[in-house]
Each structure stands twice: as C-alpha cells, then as structure tokens.
Amino acid sequence: MKTEISITQVRADAEASFKSGEFLCAEAVVHSIRQNIAPNMPKELISAASGFPIGVGRSQCMCGTVSAGVLCLGYFFGRDFPTTITDPYSQKTIVLSFELQESFKTKHGALCCHIHTKDMDMKSNEYVEKCSVFVGDMAAKTAEIVARELGLKVAA
C-alpha cells in the first residue's frame, strides 16, 4: 500500500477511465483506488464491481459508484472471518459506508440512478459527463476516508 496519495489523482484517473470507456462507473472507482492507493489489491475486486453499474445490474437503484466505494471500504476495513454483528470490523465498515453514501446523497440529492439519468441515452455525452462527476466524487471520497482512517499522507 502506498503511504502518500493524491486524492486529485484518484479522482482524475477514475474519471478518465470512465470517460474513455475503459471501465464502467463502478469498475473505474475500484480501478483508481487500486492503482493509486493499494496496487496489491486483488484486481478481481474490479471484476466484483462489474455488476454495480447502472444502479446495480441496470435496475437504476443505488448508483454503482457508491456500491463500488462501499466495496473498497470493505476491502480495507471489513472482516473476512465469522464473528458477531457487534464485531468492531463490521461496525467500522458500516459507519464508514454510511459516511460515504451520505456524502453522495448530500451532494447530489439522491442515491438512485433513475433520478439522475432519467431518459438519458447511456452513450450520450450528457450521460457520460453527468456520471463522470459521480465516478470522480465517489473515488475521491473513498480515497479521503481510506487516507484518514489509515493515516496515509495526502499530497497537496
């Protein structure tokens, strides 16, 4: 894991890989977190995010970028062993995930894709530009939370 990160770079890389069509929204968030913070993160987590775009499997419910951020937070702070619901790892991840989704909701008004992209063509510039903001915001907020919680230095 890197000890110093640039949140600006996390945002820029996520947005660029989405806008280029290289990755879908959720995949772009995970890819950027992996590339800029945790190069040893299993690349399979990018694959794990492949079902989140367009509000989870095109259901247009919770924005895939939020789901991807939660996936990343689980990677860094979650548990991989059975315990109880009161386990501190579970509780920390739940609290951090709530913070992440609240930041999206506060900034954009709703978590639902169908509200933000109603009647938009996924191939249109309007759609790409709108969703790239969500991609950048969630990649950056996820990076901010990870840096804060792990004590990583944030480059100016």
Side-chain angles (χ1 to χ4, degrees), residues 90-141:
S90 292
Q91 293 306 306
K92 180 173 187 161
T93 305
I94 289 168
V95 167
L96 297 176
S97 295
F98 182 79
E99 176 186 347
L100 182 75
Q101 69 89 31
E102 278 296 299
S103 73
F104 186 96
K105 197 163 58 173
T106 298
K107 188 167 188 177
H108 302 293
L111 292 168
C112 302
C113 283
H114 72 274
I115 291 171
H116 297 292
T117 61
K118 185 174 174 58
D119 299 325
M120 286 187 191
D121 177 358
M122 283 182 52
K123 296 176 186 158
S124 72
N125 286 337
E126 178 187 23
Y127 178 89
V128 171
E129 288 304 315
K130 183 162 195 141
C131 290
S132 68
V133 171
F134 303 150
V135 168
D137 284 352
M138 285 296 91
K141 184 63 178 180

Side-chain angles (χ1 to χ4, degrees), residues 67-85:
S67 299
V70 171
L71 178 73
C72 290
L73 293 175
Y75 170 76
F76 288 106
F77 306 108
R79 62 189 169 123
D80 60 0
F81 48 86
T83 59
T84 66
I85 194 161

Side-chain angles (χ1 to χ4, degrees), residues 6-105:
S6 166
I7 292 174
T8 303
Q9 192 64 52
V10 170
R11 175 188 294 276
D13 288 351
E15 289 175 356
S17 66
F18 174 73
K19 284 181 177 181
S20 72
E22 187 176 273
F23 287 110
L24 296 174
C25 62
E27 298 163 335
V29 170
V30 178
H31 176 268
S32 185
I33 295 295
R34 180 178 186 266
Q35 181 177 328
N36 290 286
I37 299 176
N40 292 332
M41 174 190 280
K43 68 180 181 178
E44 289 80 7
L45 286 182
I46 299 169
S47 302
S50 293
F52 296 149
I54 318 164
V56 182
R58 294 192 175 174
S59 68
Q60 295 189 337
C61 288
M62 186 169 72
C63 178
T65 64
V66 179
S67 299
V70 171
L71 178 73
C72 290
L73 293 175
Y75 170 76
F76 288 106
F77 306 108
R79 62 189 169 123
D80 60 0
F81 48 86
T83 59
T84 66
I85 194 161
T86 59
D87 181 275
Y89 290 103
S90 292
Q91 293 306 306
K92 180 173 187 161
T93 305
I94 289 168
V95 167
L96 297 176
S97 295
F98 182 79
E99 176 186 347
L100 182 75
Q101 69 89 31
E102 278 296 299
S103 73
F104 186 96
K105 197 163 58 173

